[in-house]
Amino acid sequence: MTNATRTHQADLLWILLFTIASTLTTLIFACATPFPALAALAAVHLDRRDGVLLMLAAWAVSQAIGFCALGYPWDAATALTGVAIGTAAVAGTIVASVVDTYVPARSTLARLAIAYVAAFATFKLGILFWAPVIGHADVALSLPILERQFVRYAVILAVFYALYRLLTAMGVPAPDAAPRTVLA
């Protein structure tokens, strides 16, 4: 098996593991998928393409849980809200990845924190962009809800990162993120 094959398999394994972790939080928090936390992890530990793949997988599972297990209505408005969330999640992942590429921080924890803030802000701006079409922006973007979500997703990010560290310490191969540029 070539090194490139092993690296690709490790990346796919982490996409699967992060998607499973996201699925569990979606079920625990009734479909509050932690997209900004996943975006930060993807920015730091996966290349951009794999980060987008992770986000699409997490989004698809979240939608399946919502429609099949949580009783989302099967209507155009709900489907459009799902599209809005999906595009905002992918945008958050891309922005977090770009920010991580150029951020001068060398510490993984600092990189995760910066990527998280970028992902959260982009995700919420993406929802705001869709607000004229989907409505509910006043509720989804109210300060108390934003604060609660920011803290909840940050805690989830910390738990996901602790699980990542535990699994890599146990021998699960780490993903091979694309090299990043660090500005001096």
Side-chain angles (χ1 to χ4, degrees), residues 4-15:
T5 302
R6 276 193 295 275
T7 298
H8 181 66
Q9 288 176 340
D11 292 349
L12 290 176
L13 174 64
W14 281 102
I15 291 169

Side-chain angles (χ1 to χ4, degrees), residues 46-127:
L46 298 170
D47 66 27
R48 195 165 297 143
R49 182 196 58 136
D50 286 342
V52 170
L53 182 60
L54 165 64
M55 203 55 55
L56 291 172
W59 173 82
V61 170
S62 171
Q63 294 303 296
I65 290 170
F67 284 103
C68 299
L70 298 177
Y72 284 8
W74 290 80
D75 60 25
T78 305
L80 193 56
T81 299
V83 170
I85 291 168
T87 58
V90 168
T93 302
I94 292 169
V95 169
S97 178
V98 169
V99 166
D100 185 62
T101 300
Y102 295 105
V103 72
R106 288 180 170 79
S107 152
T108 300
L109 291 178
R111 289 174 59 207
L112 279 170
I114 293 165
Y116 173 69
V117 170
F120 187 85
T122 303
F123 179 72
K124 290 304 176 177
L125 286 171
I127 298 300

Side-chain angles (χ1 to χ4, degrees), residues 21-36:
S22 169
T23 301
L24 294 174
T25 60
T26 298
L27 290 168
I28 291 167
F29 293 112
C31 221
T33 303
F35 291 115

Side-chain angles (χ1 to χ4, degrees), residues 124 127-128 130-132 134-146 148-149:
K124 290 304 176 177
I127 298 300
L128 184 61
W130 279 94
I134 63 172
H136 311 297
D138 56 329
V139 176
L141 299 174
S142 73
L143 191 55
I145 291 173
L146 287 173
R148 188 171 56 245
Q149 288 177 340

